[in-house]
Amino acid sequence: MFTLRNIDRHDTDILILGTGGAGLFGALHALQSAPPGTRVSIAVKGLIGKCGCTRMVQGGYNVALGGGDTVERHFMDTIQGGKWLPNQDMAWRLCEQAVVRIRELENELGCFFDRNPDGTLHQKAFAGQTADRTVHKGDLTGIEIINRLMETVLSRPVEKLQEHRAIGLIPTKDGSALSGVLMIDMRTGRFRFVRAKTVLMATGGGPTMYKYHTPSGDKTMDGLAMALRAGLPLRDMEMVQFHPTGLLAGDHTRMTGTVLEEGLRGAGGQLINHAGQRFMFDYDAKGERATRDVVSRGIYAEMRKNNNPEQEGVFISMAHLGPENVRKKFSGMVKRCADSGFDLAAGKVEVVPTAHYFMGGVVVDVDTRTDLEGLYVAGEDAGGAHGSNRLGGNGVANSTVYGGIAGDVMGRDIRRMGALREPDETVLEAELARACHPLTRKPDFVQPLRAQLQTVMWEDVGVMRNEAGLQRGLSGIAQVSDALMDLGVAPDNLAFNLTWHDWLNLRSLCDISEVIAKAALARDNSRGAHFREDHPEPGALEDSYFTVARQTGTVEVTRAPVQFTIVRPGETILPAHEPETLVAAQ
């Protein structure tokens, strides 16, 4: 068995965990801002550019590029969409810097986005927004962005630690700063401790603890679980965004849960219940173009009314827009549905709310710094920018904007840092023992426990919540967690031992599932993605608070007041003459 004496040791200056939009932008900007000779390393659980969530982005990238749209309007949509819970300074910087970053993507990285006949960038409508501001490459925008980022990073002098899984943040002995990160080299099964002066955590969220989910199965909240064990504060952990239209293709395929993108509804797609009725206007005056949380609850409510066991979800219909027009405008979505046996252009496709994005995350400042010196967090691992609900198109903007900011800040910060910091060997040993725990137990199957957790979270900590269900959910999570600790993995060959990594994945999911349920219990009102049937009112906006979870032996949740640093509820920063919306009625 592994001990501290037989793990590999490695040093670098800037270490980046994750190679999605945040991680790759962090690497590029760190190279630009750091002193000559700085060692920059990137580590990823899979392969660079081939895993993570940025690659899976379909809809597009929100940015205010004129035509009446402004940064101020984008900001107000973000604040109102987040139900007045966002960190306003972070939200402003997101909207402001998105304009800079989209030009960087185009002119420096070579991204080709769709254009209007006059050569300007085409921007489409997304739900919950008062302007058509979503830049895109068809309906496969993420592939375009990540491919260009991947090509650029692969050509630069960056150390690539592919198939290296981060499992523990290791502080200094006095706990004042981060020393480095403990990893598993998945190709060999050996442990490697990497010291660094600065570390960017950009591992992505990935709420795959739900029965229906959009991220790939390797996205398992590892970063947030590491931050929790390191004692860092996590905010808004009850805020799990369900995308309203996840493909429902059956248990036999992993296509179930994948997103049918927002632009379908933005273009005029209609949601139809089991009785053949269009129902969203029963729940919101904006119909299908309401925000994701509202549409998800509308679909979920219709699902609960349905007594047809052969139909679990509802349907999305595009045929009224013209099949040929739909095939041309949404070719990627049409092909995805066809691969699963559905005709999106001319027929109906069954959909269900699917866990998509995590608004909660580590508490950071506008420069991505955390309470632990040397640790920076960007992308879905960071909380604050979205509040209780993320607007479609703000996700990839957030990752690329704040990834670049983190790279700039880390490159500057290491100029004032001295030698690499020595680790707390006691914490290092504890993290090592934690990862090796399943190798000391009798082997058994992990997947049934993961399926059990997914059912618990979907039924009790899902789209609609109440106190009894959340308490039941906590009990169910504890049962899965306890059973996992008794379950083992064969230790004879650890190279690419995917069962071992499945165990570690589920360990992270259990830890964060508990935090989600406890934070949901602590919020006794309904805001954005968090809806309490026993507390349906949003509470006074001027008294808005966010939840803060910490692990100090057990997970404790407190509240902190939202700081209205730019605009207060009931006010706007838009000029008085500005129209309420620039979007043409559907």
Side-chain angles (χ1 to χ4, degrees):
M1 196 56 61
F2 289 96
T3 67
L4 294 182
R5 290 191 301 274
N6 61 9
I7 66 173
D8 299 327
R9 306 267 179 156
H10 185 72
D11 289 344
T12 189
D13 294 313
I14 295 175
L15 173 63
I16 293 167
L17 306 177
T19 60
L24 294 180
F25 256 106
L28 292 176
H29 278 243
L31 284 171
Q32 295 169 0
S33 63
T38 299
R39 296 165 295 179
V40 178
S41 304
I42 53 176
V44 59
K45 201 174 180 181
L47 300 175
I48 295 172
K50 303 299 183 183
C51 63
C53 293
T54 302
R55 185 176 184 83
M56 301 170 73
V57 170
Q58 298 165 8
Y61 191 116
N62 284 348
V63 56
L65 292 177
D69 195 13
T70 61
V71 170
E72 288 80 5
R73 180 176 288 275
H74 186 187
F75 169 80
M76 287 304 305
D77 285 350
T78 299
I79 297 301
Q80 292 170 343
K83 303 298 186 285
W84 295 91
L85 292 190
N87 177 314
Q88 294 192 1
D89 295 327
M90 290 181 67
W92 175 262
R93 201 165 187 190
L94 164 63
C95 300
E96 181 184 51
Q97 289 300 304
V99 181
V100 176
R101 199 68 81 236
I102 202 74
R103 299 305 186 198
E104 186 178 352
L105 283 163
E106 276 196 294
N107 301 328
E108 297 183 30
L109 295 171
C111 288
F112 284 94
F113 299 115
D114 288 3
R115 294 186 176 275
N116 298 309
D118 65 359
T120 57
L121 286 172
H122 182 263
Q123 294 178 277
K124 60 185 176 181
F126 255 30
Q129 303 190 58
T130 63
D132 295 350
R133 66 167 62 95
T134 308
V135 171
H136 62 105
K137 173 71 170 177
D139 51 9
L140 299 171
T141 310
I143 290 177
E144 178 68 14
I145 291 174
I146 211 69
N147 281 356
R148 304 292 84 77
L149 277 168
M150 174 187 67
E151 291 164 357
T152 306
V153 168
L154 289 176
S155 70
R156 300 294 167 84
V158 176
E159 180 183 34
K160 290 90 174 175
L161 300 174
Q162 301 191 82
E163 292 169 327
H164 275 63
R165 179 196 189 113
I167 60 170
L169 302 174
I170 311 301
T172 56
K173 194 166 186 177
D174 65 2
S176 65
L178 185 66
S179 171
V181 180
L182 180 63
M183 301 183 189
I184 299 172
D185 181 345
M186 300 169 69
R187 300 165 301 182
T188 64
R190 289 187 59 82
F191 288 88
R192 172 173 289 176
F193 175 60
V194 181
R195 287 194 305 170
K197 296 176 181 178
T198 62
V199 174
L200 170 61
M201 192 170 80
T203 64
T208 58
M209 66 281 282
Y210 287 91
K211 181 179 179 181
Y212 304 113
H213 58 264
T214 67
S216 57
D218 66 324
K219 303 303 292 181
T220 52
M221 300 287 194
D222 295 327
L224 294 186
M226 290 191 298
L228 183 71
R229 293 197 304 278
L232 290 164
L234 310 180
R235 64 170 287 169
D236 300 319
M237 293 294 285
E238 69 275 26
M239 301 302 178
V240 183
Q241 181 174 78
F242 286 82
H243 195 290
T245 52
L247 180 63
L248 191 56
D251 295 335
H252 63 285
T253 172
R254 292 191 180 183
M255 292 298 289
T256 288
T258 56
V259 165
L260 298 185
E261 64 120 323
E262 192 99 32
L264 297 175
R265 289 181 291 115
Q270 297 178 356
L271 292 171
I272 309 296
N273 64 16
H274 69 284
Q277 301 165 335
R278 188 179 181 188
F279 60 85
M280 266 313 302
F281 284 100
D282 294 342
Y283 298 95
D284 193 275
K286 295 178 181 177
E288 287 86 355
R289 291 194 62 175
T291 53
R292 290 176 173 180
D293 56 315
V294 173
V295 181
S296 291
R297 288 196 295 275
I299 293 174
Y300 192 79
E302 292 296 311
M303 289 170 61
R304 293 204 296 197
K305 294 178 186 177
N306 182 22
N307 58 7
N308 180 359
E310 295 184 2
Q311 183 197 322
E312 186 170 358
V314 300
F315 295 100
I316 189 166
S317 175
M318 304 292 293
H320 61 284
L321 300 175
E324 288 307 313
N325 178 50
V326 174
R327 290 189 186 99
K328 180 179 179 181
K329 194 171 184 179
F330 299 102
S331 58
M333 290 296 94
V334 170
K335 185 177 187 304
R336 170 171 290 188
C337 291
D339 288 344
S340 298
F342 303 106
D343 186 353
L344 177 65
K348 295 187 296 184
V349 179
E350 194 169 4
V351 294
V352 65
T354 179
H356 181 54
Y357 188 91
F358 204 65
M359 277 77 70
V362 180
V363 174
V364 297
D365 67 14
V366 293
D367 287 324
T368 73
R369 295 187 183 96
T370 70
D371 287 353
L372 188 61
E373 182 183 355
L375 178 66
Y376 305 73
V377 181
E380 200 172 345
D381 280 334
H386 307 296
S388 66
N389 192 38
R390 176 179 68 82
L391 296 179
N394 266 7
V396 68
N398 177 62
S399 294
T400 55
V401 163
Y402 277 103
I405 289 170
D408 292 336
V409 172
M410 288 191 299
R412 293 196 301 265
D413 282 359
I414 65 166
R415 294 174 183 269
R416 60 174 173 77
M417 294 179 179
L420 291 162
R421 309 174 191 95
E422 292 302 318
D424 184 334
E425 298 284 338
T426 302
V427 176
L428 183 57
E429 188 172 27
E431 289 289 347
L432 184 65
R434 180 182 180 279
C436 289
H437 174 85
L439 308 179
T440 66
R441 296 294 187 271
K442 182 181 177 181
D444 205 343
F445 295 108
V446 177
Q447 188 55 35
L449 284 180
R450 184 160 178 172
Q452 183 179 335
L453 177 67
Q454 289 172 333
T455 298
V456 167
M457 292 298 288
W458 171 255
E459 292 181 352
D460 294 324
V461 198
V463 178
M464 294 185 179
R465 303 162 174 175
N466 58 58
E467 183 176 0
L470 291 169
Q471 293 288 6
R472 188 168 57 245
L474 278 170
S475 177
I477 294 164
Q479 290 175 15
V480 174
S481 184
D482 290 344
L484 181 65
M485 295 304 288
D486 289 334
L487 185 150
V489 174
D492 48 321
N493 183 4
L494 298 182
F496 285 117
N497 189 321
L498 298 186
T499 305
W500 185 24
H501 293 285
D502 284 344
W503 192 100
L504 294 170
N505 288 340
L506 186 52
R507 181 69 267 160
S508 293
L509 289 173
C510 285
D511 290 347
I512 298 305
S513 294
E514 179 190 1
V515 182
I516 293 170
K518 286 188 172 181
L521 273 171
R523 177 171 288 283
D524 53 5
N525 59 34
S526 294
R527 290 283 183 99
H530 169 75
F531 188 82
R532 287 279 299 265
E533 293 181 279
D534 49 349
H535 296 285
E537 296 303 316
L541 294 180
E542 60 270 18
D543 296 327
S544 294
Y545 63 87
F546 59 91
T547 59
V548 181
R550 282 184 184 267
Q551 182 169 284
T552 54
T554 60
V555 174
E556 302 293 336
V557 182
T558 57
R559 299 176 178 181
V562 174
Q563 301 299 314
F564 302 118
T565 56
I566 296 175
V567 62
R568 299 190 64 82
E571 300 175 354
T572 182
I573 61 172
L574 295 179
H577 65 274
E578 281 286 307
E580 182 178 342
T581 182
L582 305 176
V583 178
Q586 294 295 319

